[in-house]
Amino acid sequence: MATTLDLTLLYLFAAVIGVVVCRLFKLPPMLGYLVVGVVIGPNALALAKDSSGVEHLAEFGVVFLMFVIGLEFNLPKLKSMRSLVFGLGSSQVLLTMAATMLGYVGLAAVVGWTGEDSAHPNGLLGWGLNWQSSIALGGALAMSSTAIVVKMMAERLELDTEHGKRVLGILLFQDLAVVPLLVLIPTLSAGPADLTRALFFATLKATVLLGLLLAGGQKVMHWWLTLVARRKSEELFMLNLLLVTLGLAWLTEHFGLSLALGAFVAGMLVAETEYKHQVEADIRPFHDVLLGLFFITIGMKLDWHHVVDHWALVALLTTLPVLFKFALVASLARWFGAQAGVALRTGLYLAQAGEFGFVLLSLASEHGLIAPQAQSPLLASMVLSMLATPIIIMYSNRIVTRLSSTDWMMQSLAMTKIATKAINTDKHVLICGYGRSGQNLARLLEIEHIPYIALDLDPDRVQQAAAAGQNVVFGDATRLQSLMAAGLSRANAVVITWPSVPAALKILALVHEQAPHVPTVVRTIDDSGLDVLQTAGAAAVVPEAIEGSLMLASQALALVGVPMRRVLRLVREQRSARYGLLRDYFHGADDDSVDELELKRLQSVTLGADAACTGLSIGELQPMMEAVAVVSLRRAGGAVVAPDPAARVQAGDTLVLSGRPQDLARAEHTLLNG
């Protein structure tokens, strides 16, 4: 008999394989977890015949998922998107549930019997369906995949587009709708006579408990986290974070509600403190690993034999909800004022099932609302719809063009507007992005009487700036049509002001292909993508962190009495070093993130009396250290000298080395031990 440790190791090994395969095919890891769950489950290889050994551990994945959702829940965000969240989003969820309920009623009327018919104890379609289970099923079908859709929109640079904002608004309401559904679904399992009473008491308990927690919980949470943070112990902070999250989950469960509801409240309370971002970074590993185990246990419940035997039913359950959600979301988006193309894209992006759908389906199954024989077809249809999502999004433009002739006309009209703005512009600067950096650049260009045209995707910003007489137009700079309409071939330079390396690489590829003679300047946050951008063809890359450090240094030098002429010369010399300063700096404990591990850094090595390299010259040491360079040499007496190849190092000297972490470690070992 397999022990809990055996099962845990099996799940972890399967999870690693699933994530690696998904990364190779550029699919979300969640799909990998579901597939490996099917493979190792009792209905396939039967490597894990029973998931009960780690199911309780996997439940914590849902707990931390709801905690992260609670962290994202804040009133300013909801207020700014209220029409999309509470208008468009609520309509989508409520109408999906209503349509599922009406579908049950209509099918029951056609067939002629319901789940309560004593002649048919298995209920409608032999699945034990009744109106309660149709509500639970409608809630599960109303969900869409936040993980897949947001990831793909970010990669396609569509988060700030018109359809992107509507998609995010609906997804946000779906996440919020999970909270009342977690309260509603368990009460639906009560008998018809007790349902009203159970629903009333569940709502009352949820209202009282949430009211008490939210009324005074924010101040208590802020006080407690501040008290813990002052101890300056990462272990203590993490332990308290887990204690708060699981403690509130335990509290809501003992009130007859759910673990996930308490975790959601914990996230909401932490979101109102200044520790939100630190907490989000700390909790992420627990969230990802445990949620992966949850999806593996879900996959184990899928019986592929049943799916194969009823493939037509699975295909129907996959196709109908996708088509229905697409039509519903597109119609609602159109009703709420979106153009035809925007509405169709919104519908295509949200037509699939979602991760919360699995959570709600699992909860409904636990309370007997979904029959065991119905789980496999429903799970399979949800997984298939999610697998199809990347393909649907990838070809969304072609699909929308086929379905809507007006979308092509609107795109042509947008290109015409851009071309009209740029038709008399020559030898201009093409600004991609008209945020703060783009607007500052435009002002300087106007002072020098240099023509420019700016492209931006924020309609409000474009409208206000254009009304003020600035040469800005609505357009997507990552699309070739927009760049060409803005006069790319006639431009003197292109400036990319978004601090996004993927966006910059996409624009650089288009510029290099269509107008290789036009130089491109790219703005970045730091220099982590400097080499990639320069290889892609950027004439200049301006990392904000470097410019900030140079301005900080110049102000400090001026304040301590260094002549301004010398300060300007020092800054000019550092800039002329092609921004090598930031990549070669001394790293601290907070710099050792995954992204920093491959970046060059500085490291000081002090030579003791028994150091193997004493007496050797720097020229003799350099070949021994391979990819590491000696930046400077500090003598034992305190003098700092240039790294002359002929200079010999002695005991007490300190060498400042530049290189990557692994190379520096080898070099230090060589210097000290030989």
Side-chain angles (χ1 to χ4, degrees), residues 406-422:
T406 58
D407 182 69
W408 181 86
M409 294 176 63
M410 293 301 297
Q411 291 188 35
S412 300
L413 181 61
M415 294 304 106
T416 303
K417 288 182 178 180
I418 298 175
T420 302
K421 277 273 189 180

Side-chain angles (χ1 to χ4, degrees), residues 91 143 192 198 230 254 376 396 409 462 483 557 571 662:
S91 300
M143 300 296 121
R230 286 174 178 170
H254 279 262
S376 290
S396 58
M409 294 176 63
V462 170
L483 292 175
L557 290 172
V571 172
Q662 61 270 28

Side-chain angles (χ1 to χ4, degrees), residues 191-235:
D194 300 327
L195 180 60
T196 303
R197 178 174 173 272
L199 187 59
F200 171 77
F201 280 107
T203 305
L204 180 63
K205 285 189 292 184
T207 303
V208 172
L209 182 60
L210 293 180
L212 290 174
L213 289 174
L214 295 178
Q218 178 183 344
K219 293 182 179 179
V220 174
M221 181 69 72
H222 183 271
W223 170 80
W224 180 252
L225 290 180
T226 301
L227 185 66
V228 173
R230 286 174 178 170
R231 306 282 78 81
K232 296 182 179 180
S233 170
E234 293 184 4
E235 293 84 358

Side-chain angles (χ1 to χ4, degrees), residues 204-520:
L204 180 63
K205 285 189 292 184
T207 303
V208 172
L209 182 60
L210 293 180
L212 290 174
L213 289 174
L214 295 178
Q218 178 183 344
K219 293 182 179 179
V220 174
M221 181 69 72
H222 183 271
W223 170 80
W224 180 252
L225 290 180
T226 301
L227 185 66
V228 173
R230 286 174 178 170
R231 306 282 78 81
K232 296 182 179 180
S233 170
E234 293 184 4
E235 293 84 358
L236 185 61
F237 190 84
M238 175 59 70
L239 287 172
N240 277 273
L241 183 59
L242 294 175
L243 176 64
V244 168
T245 305
L246 298 179
L248 286 178
W250 172 85
L251 183 64
T252 53
E253 186 185 39
H254 279 262
F255 263 74
L257 302 172
S258 68
L259 288 167
L261 183 59
F264 177 79
V265 174
M268 288 178 60
L269 296 178
V270 174
E272 299 300 323
T273 69
E274 63 267 33
Y275 306 103
K276 171 186 174 181
H277 299 293
Q278 177 65 35
V279 167
E280 193 171 12
D282 289 342
I283 211 73
R284 180 64 63 179
F286 296 94
H287 164 266
D288 293 341
V289 173
L290 294 175
L291 191 60
L293 290 179
F294 170 76
F295 284 122
I296 289 177
T297 59
I298 291 294
M300 291 177 63
K301 297 176 182 178
L302 194 150
D303 187 352
W304 68 273
H305 298 93
H306 192 84
V307 173
V308 172
D309 293 340
H310 301 85
W311 63 268
L313 177 62
V314 172
L316 187 67
L317 291 174
T318 303
T319 307
L320 286 182
V322 168
L323 293 176
F324 168 74
K325 286 179 69 176
F326 163 66
L328 175 64
V329 173
S331 301
L332 287 173
R334 194 82 172 99
W335 178 266
F336 278 84
Q339 297 175 356
V342 173
L344 289 172
R345 286 183 178 85
T346 306
L348 287 171
Y349 281 44
L350 295 172
Q352 79 292 126
E355 49 270 15
F356 276 122
F358 294 111
V359 176
L360 297 177
L361 189 65
S362 177
L363 184 63
S365 300
E366 290 176 9
H367 289 83
L369 296 175
I370 304 295
Q373 61 268 29
Q375 289 187 41
S376 290
L378 290 173
L379 284 174
S381 64
M382 293 169 71
V383 172
L384 289 174
S385 71
M386 294 171 73
L387 284 171
T389 300
I391 301 173
I392 294 174
I393 293 178
M394 191 180 304
Y395 290 97
S396 58
N397 285 334
R398 296 185 184 180
I399 297 174
V400 171
T401 304
R402 290 286 185 91
L403 294 177
S404 174
S405 58
T406 58
D407 182 69
W408 181 86
M409 294 176 63
M410 293 301 297
Q411 291 188 35
S412 300
L413 181 61
M415 294 304 106
T416 303
K417 288 182 178 180
I418 298 175
T420 302
K421 277 273 189 180
I423 193 168
N424 295 320
T425 306
D426 191 27
K427 296 182 179 179
H428 58 288
V429 176
L430 177 52
I431 304 175
C432 303
Y434 205 62
R436 183 176 299 177
S437 298
Q439 291 172 43
N440 287 334
L441 172 60
R443 292 189 188 102
L444 293 176
L445 292 173
E446 287 176 347
I447 292 173
E448 295 298 320
H449 305 290
I450 299 174
Y452 72 89
I453 182 169
L455 298 175
D456 197 90
L457 282 173
D458 189 316
D460 295 331
R461 181 186 297 151
V462 170
Q463 183 179 3
Q464 294 178 32
Q470 298 176 17
N471 200 22
V472 57
V473 64
F474 184 86
D476 186 356
T478 62
R479 298 183 61 191
L480 178 60
Q481 297 94 323
S482 299
L483 292 175
M484 297 303 293
L488 173 62
S489 58
R490 306 188 305 274
N492 269 358
V494 174
V495 180
I496 304 171
T497 67
W498 300 311
S500 169
V501 174
L505 290 174
K506 192 171 183 179
I507 297 173
L508 283 169
L510 296 174
V511 173
H512 182 71
E513 179 183 351
Q514 299 296 325
H517 61 283
V518 179
T520 305

Side-chain angles (χ1 to χ4, degrees), residues 605-660:
V605 179
T606 301
L607 307 179
D610 56 347
C613 67
T614 53
L616 298 177
S617 68
I618 292 180
E620 292 172 331
L621 292 176
Q622 193 64 67
M624 301 165 55
M625 295 187 293
E626 298 178 352
V628 172
V630 179
V631 176
S632 67
L633 171 63
R634 182 179 183 272
R635 292 298 187 182
V640 179
V641 299
D644 186 352
R648 296 188 177 276
V649 297
Q650 304 296 332
D653 290 350
T654 298
L655 290 169
V656 180
L657 309 177
S658 171
R660 292 182 173 85

